[in-house]
Amino acid sequence: MRHDEPHGHRFRGFFHNVPKHIPSGYVDYVKLNGLSVTPDMVRDGHLDCMILGESARHDGYGTGHLYRDIASGKNIEVELVMDDIPYRASVTIDDIPKAMMTVTYDTVTSIRAFINDKSTDKPALYSGPNGLPKNGEGCSIIGCGEIEPLFNHRGGSALNVGDRVLLNGAIGKIIRASTEDDDENRFIQIMADIHDMDPRYMGGFTTPYGPMCVISVATMIRVDHDHITRELVVSDMGVPLPIIIRDNMVPKYWDSYGSVWPPSTRISVDRSRCLDCDECSADRLCPMGAGPSAGPDKDLCLSCGSCISNCRGNVFSGNMGHITIDGKITPVRIRLSSREKAEELCELLKTQISNGDIAL
Ligand code: SF4
Ligand code: SF4
């Protein structure tokens, strides 16, 4: 089970919209809610296009936010140009007959802590908008420790092509999976229908390199050998946490997930400290639009800690955990994964299996 964000370049969606007044032919460009997407053609009144994960507007609105808006049933503004003629349409998910999302995630990028060893804050993809704090004074983390499906995916034995999964709450399936030969970089690629997704599991982080999508995945592990049973009996303390210097993918230090997943990850709010800033940076940078300044919407909140780091009034607090490097304690500043949401999705999957709604 895991709740996590994919990395933009590995996140794709396919849309077929119905802007009825547009003739068939090649499209010059398309924007959805102001985001540039990859156009194909209009055929029989249907627009085909592909949305890449790294698409972003100048104000930080990115693919993750667009997908959440689509799954929420909100109006999506479509702008396209064909033969120098501009067209506009406003559509909702009900106007989109086919809307598929594919996501790939892997052990190289999705199970990590990131730090900065320099004397100034440095940008990193896996950090908040201002980069990673200087001199290892803070880190970001990604990965759900003991409930991480890829940690349990030993030698391609547990997750296979065709297996059913939940992607943002929708029943999907694995369309690619690593094999024993890929043991250093285990991965799965998943596809599911956006119509069936729950927007509470979707959103977008702001990073120095633009938005990153939030997606949530729960998988089933086929327990058909004793050795898999043994591998599944792990605790956070037993799951190694590689520590990376900024965007370098080679681990320089190690800790364990037991250090970064405390028993409670909930964020507390003390409204009496609020300075009523002209623009609330905690609200603006919340990846889920959970409105932390008014008390975060618990249904949406990922307990990521962004509001703690981005509030001038110290309104927010929570146990964020820490890593230890050569005896020096480095606090976690932002969690790019949500253990709470992952466990919630795990319960949903278990219920669906019990009800017979989903099977291997
Ligand atoms: S950033 Fe913090 S202090 Fe400023 S308005 Fe938002 S909650 Fe209040
Ligand atoms: S911890 Fe704060 S910033 Fe993160 S999702 Fe919750 S309310 Fe939003």
Side-chain angles (χ1 to χ4, degrees), residues 271 273-277 280-282 293 310-313 315-316:
R271 280 282 309 154
R273 291 170 169 263
C274 183
L275 306 172
D276 289 322
C277 311
C280 176
S281 47
S293 67
N310 292 298
C311 169
R312 290 199 293 126
V315 168
F316 308 98

Side-chain angles (χ1 to χ4, degrees), residues 158-207:
L159 297 172
N160 296 297
V161 171
D163 285 355
R164 298 289 165 175
V165 299
L166 286 184
L167 175 57
N168 300 331
I171 297 174
K173 67 179 175 187
I174 296 176
I175 55 174
R176 284 179 67 215
S178 52
T179 65
E180 288 178 30
D181 298 338
D182 304 306
D183 198 40
E184 287 301 303
N185 178 17
R186 295 189 289 276
F187 68 90
I188 50 174
Q189 191 172 44
I190 302 158
M191 181 179 277
D193 191 332
I194 297 172
H195 289 89
D196 302 328
M197 291 183 183
D198 182 340
R200 291 182 311 113
Y201 295 113
M202 306 159 78
F205 280 102
T206 301
T207 84

